[in-house]
Amino acid sequence: MKIQFQEITAAQTTLKGSKPDAAIVFLVGEDKKLGATAQAVNKQANGALAKALFAGKFAGKRGQCVTVIAPASMKSNHIILAGIGSAKSLDAKALENIGGSIVPHLNAARTGTATVVFETIKGMPMGMAEAAAHMGHGAYLRSYRFDKYHTKKTADEKPTLHTLTVAVANAKAVAKPYADLEKLADGVFFTRDLVSEPANIINPETLAQQCLELEKLGVDVQILGEEDMYELGFGALLGVGQGSTKESQMVIMRWNGLGKSSKTPPLAFVGKGVTFDTGGISIKPAGGMEEMKWDMGGAGTVIGLMKALAGRKAKANVVGVAGLVENMPGGNAQRPGDVVTSYSGQTIEVLNTDAEGRLVLADALWYTQKHFKPRFIIDLATLTGAIIVALGTSRAGLFSNNDKLSEQLYKTGEKTGEEVWRLPLGDVYDKQINSDIADMQNIGKDREAGSITAAQFLQRFVNKTPWVHLDIAGVAWSKKDADTVPKGATAFGVRLLNQLVADYYEMK
Ligand code: BES
Ligand code: MN
Ligand code: ZN
């Protein structure tokens, strides 16, 4: 879908000559007052808009929408009144959600093009141009589709909306704030595409190749294959991938936004990239196993984040690391009880081959802190089913050794809508992963606190580096549509971490 911005005065003239498959959208607050353009159209429509405002339950609340069929005297087919709630609560997140929530209404009306008339809203804290940019961004994010494998859908069965125009005074001023958001959306869509692909298409080798795309944006991409990792001593990561016919990979992506020669320590993002998780020899039950194609969601987010940051030329040095493996059973697969030596030198008794994500991250985290001495490391992983039991599907679990970074992430989560909730770490949990025959075991002694014992395991591979682990098992994939996120791969974390970098870690 294409998003464009237009001067409100120009929109007023085009509205008169709109095509039949076009719709006009007016925004209405809780006071239910129509803006100047809406009033003019209301007159033309013999008072139909004013009537619609009071005919039903419409109260101007966010998410409410009334679709009015335009009178025969107008060319457009539909006029949509969209509630925007109270003006003072219109921040970036609210505007994105409004923009996104309009999209399905337009498709339901079989609309091809639509113009959102965005007139001055009294009491809105944000400037009009920036607000318009966020509204357009929200609509664009909602328009995402992954439909390349539908070969038989007719035009009738597909969404119709192809162009959305936001009409606003001083449309030129929108270009700058929208440019960055467009790059962010590119990153989000890249992640959604990668995570949506089935595992016969995206495996460690093909996913690593996809990362090379980022070179076009000035990202330095390095791929380590099995031989490289064997020489380095990545026993933990390689053990997970050894049952697969696909070669395990580790991808290191560097964006030096502070200049090639800059010595400023980078920010580091590390992602779990299990392109399919069968559980290995500790095999998972058949029901729902197809979901494990998105067990590379952490890596997917890191890759999309790098695309967004490089795309908008973020003034920060950033490194993204993706540990890519396929967890398969087979004649060469790792067995329960195997002991592996990680890159850190610490030994691990693999009691359950389905607790594989932490093994992949162990080597990726150690590599990252050793080679880059980063300012912080944030890892993302669809790590435990237990985090879904604890937090459900609306928040990621956050574990950290650093209060300041945790607080920054919490705030950024509330601001962007990609929300997190901190859970504890501590010695009582850490003891749970001591092993009888190695330095540690990869699962706890019982099923208690499964997400925390997983995080304790990771903590043993980060030393004193400020570190956050985000368990995104509950949020990487969604079974229902949300305002700016259609069901399927969410790309959770791309918007959150892009904003974290922008708000706290970028040179202005
Ligand atoms: N990838 C899974 C976690 C997961 C479960 C992600 C459901 C998304 C949805 C992970 O590798 C796993 O299998 N974890 C085990 C750990 C257990 C063996 C200690 C789990 O959560 O059951
Ligand atoms: Mn697993
Ligand atoms: Zn997994």
Side-chain angles (χ1 to χ4, degrees):
M1 186 172 88
K2 192 177 155 198
I3 304 282
Q4 55 191 29
F5 299 90
Q6 192 183 30
E7 291 295 325
I8 230 161
T9 44
Q12 283 162 345
T13 24
T14 39
L15 286 185
K16 290 188 188 125
S18 272
K19 292 197 214 86
D21 81 333
I24 311 166
V25 182
F26 294 115
L27 307 172
V28 183
E30 284 166 354
D31 59 3
K32 298 216 257 180
K33 288 220 172 87
L34 295 176
T37 316
Q39 279 181 26
V41 170
N42 181 49
K43 228 179 239 164
Q44 207 183 337
N46 265 327
L49 302 193
K51 188 170 179 180
L53 284 177
F54 293 93
K57 274 205 278 188
F58 186 81
K61 290 213 172 72
R62 221 165 277 158
Q64 289 184 325
C65 229
V66 203
T67 303
V68 181
I69 304 295
S73 62
M74 286 179 72
K75 262 202 170 165
S76 306
N77 274 345
H78 298 92
I79 302 158
I80 290 179
L81 303 173
I84 54 168
S86 80
K88 64 175 191 309
S89 66
L90 287 172
D91 54 11
K93 179 172 74 176
L95 287 154
E96 286 167 12
N97 286 340
I98 290 166
S101 67
I102 292 169
V103 172
H105 292 284
L106 292 167
N107 280 316
R110 308 310 289 161
T111 297
T113 64
T115 301
V116 180
V117 179
F118 193 31
E119 285 177 316
T120 310
I121 298 170
K122 244 196 232 135
M124 181 173 71
M126 189 180 279
M128 284 303 286
E130 205 190 339
H134 281 287
M135 194 153 59
H137 178 56
Y140 185 64
L141 288 174
R142 179 60 182 273
S143 75
Y144 175 81
R145 280 181 279 159
F146 186 79
D147 56 6
K148 63 196 270 198
Y149 297 120
H150 281 297
T151 64
K152 293 184 173 169
K153 271 201 176 169
T154 60
D156 232 27
E157 294 165 309
K158 287 186 184 165
T160 47
L161 186 65
H162 57 78
T163 310
L164 186 81
T165 305
V166 180
V168 61
N170 198 2
K172 277 205 192 85
V174 185
K176 204 163 172 272
Y178 192 69
D180 278 359
L181 292 171
E182 207 168 17
K183 298 301 176 190
L184 172 57
D186 286 346
V188 169
F189 282 20
F190 194 35
T191 300
R192 289 180 185 171
D193 282 344
L194 295 174
V195 177
S196 302
E197 285 286 2
N200 61 324
I201 304 297
I202 284 290
N203 58 53
E205 295 164 10
T206 55
L207 185 47
Q209 291 305 305
Q210 286 289 318
C211 295
L212 294 173
E213 275 291 301
L214 301 185
E215 287 181 335
K216 289 181 198 144
L217 298 171
V219 177
D220 176 65
V221 181
Q222 186 192 355
I223 301 174
L224 304 183
E226 285 189 353
E227 244 175 75
D228 307 309
M229 291 191 278
Y230 181 79
E231 262 162 38
L232 284 161
F234 280 23
L237 185 151
L238 289 171
V240 177
Q242 77 188 30
S244 169
T245 58
K246 299 291 185 296
E247 238 201 79
S248 301
Q249 315 268 298
M250 196 168 84
V251 184
I252 301 128
M253 296 157 276
R254 300 204 64 180
W255 166 250
N256 278 335
L258 298 177
K260 274 259 174 299
S261 57
S262 160
K263 294 270 187 302
T264 310
L267 317 172
F269 299 96
V270 177
K272 165 179 171 181
V274 178
T275 60
F276 197 80
D277 181 13
T278 63
I281 297 299
S282 313
I283 199 160
K284 288 181 181 295
M289 202 204 273
E290 71 283 353
E291 294 197 350
M292 286 302 111
K293 73 169 184 181
W294 49 265
D295 208 21
M296 36 59 73
T301 289
V302 169
I303 297 163
L305 174 67
M306 295 305 289
K307 178 159 186 167
L309 294 173
R312 68 174 181 80
K313 300 197 168 23
K315 289 197 179 54
N317 291 346
V318 187
V319 52
V321 174
L324 309 178
V325 299
E326 185 181 46
N327 188 21
M328 297 290 272
N332 195 44
Q334 163 158 272
R335 293 146 294 257
D338 282 5
V339 174
V340 296
T341 303
S342 68
Y343 179 43
S344 73
Q346 303 177 91
T347 56
I348 305 162
E349 183 186 14
V350 180
L351 286 178
N352 189 319
T353 64
D354 196 13
E356 84 298 340
R358 61 199 77 180
L359 297 169
V360 173
L361 287 174
D363 286 340
L365 287 169
W366 191 264
Y367 181 90
T368 304
Q369 55 118 2
K370 181 169 173 182
H371 284 256
F372 298 111
K373 307 203 168 24
R375 223 166 133 190
F376 65 62
I377 302 181
I378 298 176
D379 79 70
L380 299 107
T382 49
L383 204 64
T384 66
I387 202 68
I388 311 175
V389 178
L391 297 177
T393 54
S394 65
R395 283 178 186 267
L398 182 153
F399 303 83
S400 180
N401 60 6
N402 189 287
D403 293 343
K404 190 171 154 221
L405 187 54
S406 300
E407 190 58 29
Q408 289 170 345
L409 271 161
Y410 175 78
K411 283 195 185 136
T412 312
E414 300 306 300
K415 177 172 171 180
T416 56
E418 291 190 334
E419 295 167 348
V420 300
W421 197 260
R422 191 174 183 184
L423 283 96
L425 292 167
D427 287 344
V428 260
Y429 304 109
D430 188 68
K431 275 197 210 117
Q432 294 276 318
I433 54 167
N434 287 335
S435 154
D436 290 339
I437 76 155
D439 296 333
M440 68 194 89
Q441 58 189 42
N442 75 330
I443 53 170
K445 301 233 188 299
D446 51 42
R447 285 162 45 91
E448 284 178 16
S451 303
I452 305 179
T453 49
Q456 284 307 151
F457 185 96
L458 300 181
Q459 192 175 16
R460 293 191 183 201
F461 297 88
V462 291
N463 288 342
K464 295 268 180 292
T465 308
W467 156 79
V468 161
H469 157 56
L470 295 175
D471 193 334
I472 58 169
V475 293
W477 189 271
S478 167
K479 292 202 169 103
K480 53 181 200 296
D481 291 332
D483 286 343
T484 58
V485 188
K487 72 176 182 195
T490 62
F492 183 102
V494 177
R495 295 160 78 187
L496 172 71
L497 298 173
N498 172 67
Q499 196 66 48
L500 177 86
V501 173
D503 286 354
Y504 299 100
Y505 296 95
E506 242 181 288
M507 294 227 313
K508 287 285 171 319

